[in-house]
Amino acid sequence: VNQLVAENRDATRETINKASNIAGTLELTANDLQAAMGAFNNIMQGDTLSEVLGNLREISLSLRESNLQELIENLAFTVAQTQLLLVKLDADLDRGSKDLSDNLTLLKHTLENLNEASRQINANPSVLIRGQRARDIPDRSLQ
C-alpha cells in the first residue's frame, strides 16, 4: 500500500489541486447565480413589471374596443377628399399659369408701346406739347 501511495503521490496531489480549483470556480459561479437570482427577484417583485403588464393589458383592451373598420373607412374618406382637393388645386394652378402667361404677353405689348412712345419723345420732345406734326400723321384719304 505504501508503494502504491508513493507511486501515485504526484497524481493524487494534482487531482486534489484540480478539485480545489473546481471547487473555487463553483463557489464563484454559485455567488454569481445567487446575485442574479436576487436581481431577478427584485424585478419580479418591483412595480415596473406590473406597470408594463398593466399598460399592455390596457392597450390590448383599447384595441379590442376600438372600431377598426370605422377608422379605416374614415381614413379612406379622408384620402378621397384629399385627392379631390389636389385635383382642384392642380386645375387652379393650371388656370393661374394660363392667366399669368396672358398677363405677361399683355405686359410685353405694353412695354413695347411704352418703348415706342419713349423713342418718339426722345426723337422729338415737342410731341408732348404740340402733338404729332402733320407730316407724321398718315393721309386720311389713303386710309
Side-chain angles (χ1 to χ4, degrees):
V1 172
N2 286 337
Q3 184 181 1
L4 184 62
V5 170
E7 288 176 1
N8 291 318
R9 182 170 282 167
D10 291 334
T12 304
R13 279 189 190 143
E14 188 177 330
T15 301
I16 290 173
N17 285 338
K18 286 183 181 181
S20 178
N21 288 340
I22 290 172
T25 303
L26 283 175
E27 184 178 354
L28 291 174
T29 303
N31 289 338
D32 290 344
L33 184 59
Q34 185 177 8
M37 290 301 291
F40 181 74
N41 191 24
N42 286 338
I43 291 172
M44 292 303 290
Q45 291 178 358
D47 292 336
T48 305
L49 184 62
S50 298
E51 288 176 11
V52 169
L53 291 175
N55 290 341
L56 186 60
R57 185 172 190 276
E58 286 178 24
I59 291 170
S60 176
L61 290 174
S62 295
L63 285 175
R64 188 176 298 149
E65 291 173 0
S66 68
N67 187 352
L68 292 179
Q69 183 65 30
E70 182 180 344
L71 178 65
I72 291 171
E73 289 172 1
N74 288 340
L75 186 59
F77 177 75
T78 303
V79 168
Q81 291 296 98
T82 303
Q83 186 176 8
L84 288 175
L85 177 67
L86 289 174
V87 167
K88 288 180 181 178
L89 183 63
D90 188 46
D92 288 346
L93 284 174
D94 284 344
R95 189 173 32 256
S97 294
K98 184 183 180 320
D99 290 346
L100 180 62
S101 177
D102 292 345
N103 287 335
L104 286 175
T105 302
L106 289 173
L107 182 60
K108 180 181 173 190
H109 290 303
T110 302
L111 288 174
E112 287 172 356
N113 290 337
L114 285 173
N115 194 18
E116 176 63 24
S118 174
R119 187 186 60 74
Q120 287 178 0
I121 291 170
N122 280 336
N124 186 5
S126 64
V127 169
L128 289 175
I129 298 172
R130 291 187 262 165
Q132 289 184 336
R133 285 188 255 153
R135 67 180 172 87
D136 292 339
I137 299 174
D139 188 358
R140 297 204 188 275
S141 63
L142 291 176
Q143 291 181 353

